[in-house]
Amino acid sequence: MMRICLPIRRRFDFRAVLFAALALLASMSPCFAELLIEPGDTVHVSVADASRFDGDRRVDVDGRIMMPQLGGIDLKGLRLDEAGARIAGELIRRDILKAPNVLVEVVKYRPVYVGGKVRRPGAIDFEPGMTVRHALILAGGAGKEQEENATSVDIPELRAKWQTTSYQLLQVNSRIARLDAELVRRDTAAPTAAPGAVLPQDRQALVALDSDILKDRLETWTANQVHLRDALALYDLEIDVLNQQSTLQEGERNLTGQQVETARALVEKGLMPLPRLQELEHVQSQASQDILENQAFTARARQSRATIAHQLKTADIDWRMEISQQKREAMIDRARLKAELEALSSQILNAGDDLSEATDRQFQTVVEIYRSVAGQKKPVAATMDTEIMPGDILDVSFAKGAG
């Protein structure tokens, strides 16, 4: 941006000071202050005390912008401060303004173009501070190009799918081995081979997880069985206590019945008052009611015991049905994953690559920048953290290397 000195005035001009401050801040940027204006950029021109000249101006293919009363002004190849000076010079030369304060800012840089092995090749908007990594993210990441002609094969993407499918197949195989062990309640599962590109340590970690699940499942099964048997024992104890209580209540009711008969005979002879007989009859009635309540408690306890006994009897069947259903679903997944893995392996082999040392292979993303230098596009070596410039062209490819 332009470094502007304020002209000496007799009164304080706030807007002029503001423009000068903005220009000074812009000049402090070590990187973008030196960027040259090129076709495709959009700049904002501000002229203090002359707002009719303010506005966004797009730099055309010839490097010019159009301004009121000035027409086309060539800014191609100029820094921002140089562009402001040129506009100010034209305003003075044409006797439009005496001492113009001109500020030129870039509101939108010319786009960056990303091509090659990216998912969405094309132009992307440039932002200050953008790196190669940012540009690849905006282009959808490195990968197969979206072309109508799909004859090209993206080997890195195929290998990624092949490796992912291999891990999924290992997971399913390990789950099936665990389910087989659960069916017979064996505490160890059969060994599981690692298909495709699975690393040995990853296979061990996954098998260890399923082993822990198997252990927890068997412990849960045993705990449930113990709980059900304990519940049966408690109901047996409750029923036995209720039976004993019923025997005592029957004895009490019989004894009370005999007392009632004796009292009734005495009342008839006038040897016992009637209220005493009524009191004994009430006791007899209460004893009969207690017996009925005891019988109801006993019936409920027997029903609950029968439910627990049924659960204990069918627990093994339910266990087997659940595991068999899970195994059936896992076997369907295994068949699908095997077919996918075979198809991916064939695609990789048909593309001229091989499956050997698959776990040690890596494909590195290679980015080459073509940048305009002195009017010519020249290649620039780049890494993911390389800062890119407006108008850069990024060509993305893959290189095979050792991991």
Side-chain angles (χ1 to χ4, degrees), residues 69-82:
Q69 296 183 253
L70 297 180
I73 300 179
D74 186 10
L75 301 183
K76 181 179 180 181
L78 299 182
R79 298 192 305 271
L80 296 178
D81 55 352
E82 295 173 340

Side-chain angles (χ1 to χ4, degrees), residues 119-189:
R119 298 184 185 277
R120 294 192 299 272
I124 59 175
D125 292 337
F126 174 83
E127 294 290 342
M130 178 180 287
T131 65
V132 169
R133 181 176 284 103
H134 298 149
L136 290 184
I137 292 173
L138 292 175
K144 185 177 181 179
E145 303 170 7
Q146 293 181 347
E147 301 174 346
E148 293 183 1
N149 182 10
T151 57
S152 60
V153 177
D154 192 335
I155 295 179
E157 184 175 355
L158 285 177
R159 282 192 171 275
K161 291 181 179 178
W162 181 66
Q163 188 173 22
T164 301
T165 305
S166 298
Y167 275 82
Q168 291 174 342
L169 182 57
L170 171 62
Q171 182 179 11
V172 170
N173 285 339
S174 181
R175 183 163 71 247
I176 291 175
R178 170 175 60 82
L179 293 173
D180 286 336
E182 285 184 26
L183 277 174
V184 295
R185 288 189 286 281
R186 188 177 62 244
D187 58 1
T188 56

Side-chain angles (χ1 to χ4, degrees), residues 12 60 65 80 110 222 240 255 266 282-284 338 383:
F12 181 75
D60 63 21
I65 64 170
L80 296 178
R110 54 198 178 277
T222 302
D240 182 62
L255 179 60
L266 293 174
H282 177 73
V283 172
Q284 183 184 30
K338 278 186 175 181
T383 66

Side-chain angles (χ1 to χ4, degrees), residues 284-305:
Q284 183 184 30
S285 176
Q286 184 63 47
S288 298
Q289 184 177 350
D290 290 343
I291 291 174
L292 291 176
E293 288 181 356
N294 183 279
Q295 291 174 349
F297 289 143
T298 304
R300 284 195 291 270
R302 291 184 183 278
Q303 182 180 12
S304 298
R305 186 192 185 284

Side-chain angles (χ1 to χ4, degrees), residues 10-308:
R10 292 186 178 182
R11 62 186 181 87
F12 181 75
D13 190 337
F14 177 77
R15 189 175 181 190
V17 172
L18 176 62
F19 271 80
L22 290 174
L24 178 60
L25 289 174
S27 66
M28 295 172 63
S29 173
C31 177
F32 294 100
E34 301 303 323
L35 285 178
L36 304 182
I37 297 175
E38 296 291 343
D41 290 340
T42 299
V43 299
H44 181 80
V45 179
S46 301
V47 182
D49 298 326
S51 60
R52 64 184 182 278
F53 295 105
D54 296 354
D56 294 346
R57 316 290 179 192
R58 180 172 174 79
V59 183
D60 63 21
V61 68
D62 296 322
R64 300 181 305 170
I65 64 170
M66 303 301 295
M67 291 191 62
Q69 296 183 253
L70 297 180
I73 300 179
D74 186 10
L75 301 183
K76 181 179 180 181
L78 299 182
R79 298 192 305 271
L80 296 178
D81 55 352
E82 295 173 340
R86 177 167 293 184
I87 295 171
E90 286 295 316
L91 291 171
I92 295 172
R93 186 178 66 82
R94 302 189 190 193
D95 199 23
I96 298 174
L97 295 174
K98 297 298 184 182
N101 291 321
V102 181
L103 177 67
V104 179
E105 302 172 282
V106 176
V107 294
K108 186 176 181 180
Y109 291 94
R110 54 198 178 277
V112 173
Y113 297 89
V114 183
K117 295 296 184 179
V118 290
R119 298 184 185 277
R120 294 192 299 272
I124 59 175
D125 292 337
F126 174 83
E127 294 290 342
M130 178 180 287
T131 65
V132 169
R133 181 176 284 103
H134 298 149
L136 290 184
I137 292 173
L138 292 175
K144 185 177 181 179
E145 303 170 7
Q146 293 181 347
E147 301 174 346
E148 293 183 1
N149 182 10
T151 57
S152 60
V153 177
D154 192 335
I155 295 179
E157 184 175 355
L158 285 177
R159 282 192 171 275
K161 291 181 179 178
W162 181 66
Q163 188 173 22
T164 301
T165 305
S166 298
Y167 275 82
Q168 291 174 342
L169 182 57
L170 171 62
Q171 182 179 11
V172 170
N173 285 339
S174 181
R175 183 163 71 247
I176 291 175
R178 170 175 60 82
L179 293 173
D180 286 336
E182 285 184 26
L183 277 174
V184 295
R185 288 189 286 281
R186 188 177 62 244
D187 58 1
T188 56
T192 303
V198 179
L199 296 172
Q201 57 268 33
D202 292 339
R203 186 199 69 81
Q204 295 172 2
L206 184 57
V207 171
L209 287 175
D210 271 309
S211 296
D212 292 339
I213 294 175
L214 174 61
K215 179 181 178 181
D216 292 340
R217 290 272 295 172
L218 293 178
E219 288 180 353
T220 301
W221 160 265
T222 302
N224 287 337
Q225 292 288 302
V226 171
H227 174 73
L228 292 174
R229 289 191 175 91
D230 288 345
L232 280 179
L234 288 174
Y235 279 120
D236 287 339
L237 177 61
E238 181 180 1
I239 292 171
D240 182 62
V241 171
L242 289 172
N243 288 335
Q244 294 180 30
Q245 186 176 359
S246 177
T247 300
L248 293 175
Q249 290 171 340
E250 288 285 351
E252 290 177 1
R253 187 178 65 174
N254 293 336
L255 179 60
T256 304
Q258 294 174 4
Q259 292 175 347
V260 168
E261 293 298 329
T262 302
R264 187 175 289 118
L266 293 174
V267 169
E268 291 176 354
K269 294 178 181 180
L271 300 177
M272 178 180 290
L274 181 61
R276 176 57 181 163
L277 173 61
Q278 293 175 339
E279 182 181 346
L280 290 173
E281 289 176 340
H282 177 73
V283 172
Q284 183 184 30
S285 176
Q286 184 63 47
S288 298
Q289 184 177 350
D290 290 343
I291 291 174
L292 291 176
E293 288 181 356
N294 183 279
Q295 291 174 349
F297 289 143
T298 304
R300 284 195 291 270
R302 291 184 183 278
Q303 182 180 12
S304 298
R305 186 192 185 284
T307 300
I308 296 298

